[in-house]
Structures are given as structure tokens and as C-alpha cells.
Amino acid sequence: MNFKRADFPDGFLFGAATAAYQIEGHKFGGAGSTHWDTFAATPGNVIRAEDGAVACDHYHRYASDLDLLKDAGMDAYRFSTSWARVMPDGRTINAQGLDFYDRLTDAILERGLKPFQTLYHWELPSALADQGGWMNRDTVMRFGDYVDAITDKIGSRMASIATINEPWCVSYLSHFLGHHAPGLRDIRATARAMHHINLAHGVGMSRLRGKGIDNCGIVLNFEYAQPATDSPADIKAAATQDTLYNRWFIEAVTKGTYPAEALDGLAPHMPDAWQDDMAEISQPIDFLGVNYYTRNTIAADPDAAWPHQKSVAGPLEKTQMGWEIYPDGLHHFLTRAARDYVGDLPIYVTENGMAWDDKVENGAVYDPARTQFVSDHFLAAKRAIADGANVQGFFYWSLLDNYEWAFGYEKRFGMIHVDFETLQRTPKASYHALKSAIARD
Ligand code: IFM
């Protein structure tokens, strides 16, 4: 790594991130069916129809997984709590679920790690999906009840609580592009989900504030929109992509507005009286989480329906996901978030990382591409701090190889290799490199 702990401000947090369904093993502990279980069980949606039933079996192995985090010299752990584990039918509390998160919280704190919780990282209970999921406003109210239940159990021990992880994925990727559960391709469903997920953030914030929680915010994902050429049409197409991906959520949360360019296509499909929700959506937050991975090259596609654009292959080096490696994009979004949206508010890089086809050879995993990727992105964050962004921490995605949604277990993002037959963990070379970089002198 071309950086060290001392290159970052005092108190800067180095951590790693995971999410419940991707690691825990959803079949353990009385969790209820989620829309990901049924999406995965439907042919063609997920590679080999794999699901999160066992995943990394973190449910039973969390203590040794946290030891690995601690042994790397990390300061914080970003994890999520599963709605369907806490409330299997979306409404009724599962005591085993609450107890698991109680034990997990104790184990995080016992190791001197700061717990960064995310309340929704995509485990929508199937019983609520049956009633329209995020298309249905009532799901938002049920989410508020889940926030109450889990917060009463562990909220006072959290260093930070994020309401929603990546609302763009929850809504646009899942209801317009059809790549994630529930796998829809429908503009009315999309507009509703894009608004209701923002409202769920607002309602979540209201419930947290009602309990005196003062370290809460949201985690948004950003992707640099690169015009395919200098033509005005491609520049406009990239700007539209930027509006739908990068501006819709942050402008709602920080300004209480939706960008006009996005409403051009979505307004006719929005829920009635959506304007009345914008005050709750835009109440003050305590931090912003930024997830950043790549850039996307966008070309105009005038023959297609709105938004009249398509993604085309870019020239940069790519990860196992086929995602271009573009560290300048992280600097762009951190400085842009500070300048245009959150000012001096703390910003955390809540996810950044890369997938690679890692193999264990002679008991070790050699992953120099990941070490380079991490190093370059940390340096981009360091430049953003020098340029005025109040970045207070950086979480590598992910601690462990895990369930990569529609890609099943094929794409490996972890700093720790997981053999999905034996569930054996093997820290990769990048884990050791990060450990050396962040060691305290
Ligand atoms: O694995 C996902 C995670 O669940 C959300 N952010 C992006 C990661 C990599 O695709």
C-alpha cells in the first residue's frame, strides 16, 4: 500500500463492511423468507440459483470473523441487521433474531471495534413483498416498526446507524433494470420505489430521533457517469444518468427536492402527493455514507424509451465484475458531496473494493490487483480530505468473500477468502498489506 495510518487525520477510522444476507446464513436462527430467497429460486435470476441460506455461516462464526477484523488492526466494523431475521413476516418479532444482534454487538464492542449498523441492506420480508414491497407505502410504515424494535435492543451501543444501504439499488436496479429482487422492469414500480425508499429513510430517521439517537444518516452509492464521446447527445445522456443515479437520492435527503431532469420521465408515475413527504425525507442527518466502485460510460440511445441512453464498454482496466477501475471518481464524489450537499458534515467511505477471481495456492491468496486498487482509492480519499471533504473513515468492501447477489458466490470481494465448501477463511495478501499500512507506530 502506498499510504499509512499517519497520512490520515487523527481519529480516522479504518474498517471493513459486510451485510447480513450476504454472510450470516439466512436459514439459521428463525429468519423469515425474503424477496431475495424467492428471486434466487426463480430460474435465470442468480448464477446457479444460489441463495444466502448458508453464505459464510457468520451466524455461528461471528466471533472468529471479528477476531480477524481486530487482528488486522481495524477500528470499526460496518454490518447490517436483517429485517427478516428480526421480524420474519415483517411485523412479528423473532426473539432469536434480536438475541443474535445483541450477542454480535457485544462481540464487536469487546474487541474494541466501533459498530456501524445499517438497518436495511435488502432483506425485505416476503410477506411484505407479497403486498407490493417498496411500491407500497405501507412497507415504509412497517420499516419504521422494525427500526423501533432493533434500535430498542442495540441502538444505544452503536457508533453510527445508517437507515438504508444504496437506495438506487433498492429501487432503480431492482424495479427498472430488473437485476435485483424483485426483478421488475416497470417505470411506475420504479418511481414508487424510488420515492418510498427515500421516505423509509425519513421515517427511519424520525424513529431514531424519537429515541434520542444522534449519530444517524444514510449510505448512498455513486457511479461516475462518463459520456461515451464529446457529442452533445452523449454528454446529455451521461448527465441524465448522473441525475438518476447520483443526484436523485442525495438531493432528496439534503435539499428536499428531486432533480427536474429525472422528473421529466418519472413524474407521471410518482405516488400521489409525494411532495408532502419531502420535509420528512430531508430532515438533518449526522453523516453521509458514500459507496463508490466504478465509472460507467454512457451513450445516447435516441430510439430507446426514456431515459434514452445506454451503457457502453469503457477502455479502463476492469475488475472481475467487469467494472472499470477509476479512483478519481472517489475523489470526485467525496469533494462534490461536501461542496454541493453536506458541507462539513462527516462523510465515511462506507464501501469500496473490488472482486477478483482469487485462488488459494499453498495456503495463501496472492491478490496484488486488490492491494493496488485499495491503495489508489485510499490515496483518492486522502486527496479529497486535502481538498476540504470531511472524510472520517473508510470501510473496505468486504471483510469476507460473500454472496454477491445475482452473481451468487462467483465474485470475490473479500480481503479474506472463504472456501464455500468448507467455509474455511484465508486472509489474502491484501489483508496483510492493509494491516501493515494501518499499523500504529
Ligand atoms: O455486494 C454489494 C453490496 O451488497 C452493496 N454494494 C456493492 C457491493 C458489491 O457489488
Side-chain angles (χ1 to χ4, degrees), residues 40 61 72 78 191 268 283 299 317:
R61 298 165 195 246
R78 176 170 177 248
Q283 61 188 289
E317 250 183 274

Side-chain angles (χ1 to χ4, degrees), residues 199-281:
L199 183 58
H201 159 72
V203 167
M205 288 293 298
S206 299
R207 301 289 180 112
L208 293 168
R209 293 296 189 215
K211 296 176 188 304
I213 304 277
D214 60 2
N215 48 7
C216 39
I218 186 166
V219 170
L220 304 178
N221 53 324
F222 298 91
E223 191 175 87
Y224 192 85
Q226 173 71 36
T229 69
D230 289 342
S231 75
D234 286 351
I235 290 172
K236 182 163 183 279
T240 304
Q241 168 76 0
D242 186 63
T243 301
L244 289 165
Y245 202 122
N246 300 317
R247 291 178 50 203
W248 177 271
F249 303 97
I250 199 167
E251 291 188 11
V253 167
T254 62
K255 299 182 192 296
T257 55
Y258 287 134
E261 300 89 324
L263 286 173
D264 279 351
L266 297 173
H269 311 289
M270 292 287 282
D272 291 343
W274 58 266
Q275 294 87 343
D276 298 348
D277 298 326
M278 298 313 284
E280 183 154 34
I281 291 172

Side-chain angles (χ1 to χ4, degrees), residues 18-19 22 78 121-122 165-166 169 180 219 221 291-293 321 323 351-353 355 397-398 402-405 407 411 413:
T18 63
Q22 294 179 270
R78 176 170 177 248
H121 199 127
W122 312 350
N165 182 71
E166 301 184 349
C169 293
H180 277 192
V219 170
N221 53 324
N291 290 1
Y292 172 78
Y293 289 88
M321 296 293 281
W323 295 350
E351 283 183 30
N352 171 256
W397 180 272
S398 181
N402 60 45
Y403 181 67
E404 179 52 27
W405 307 112
F407 297 94
K411 310 290 188 200
F413 275 92

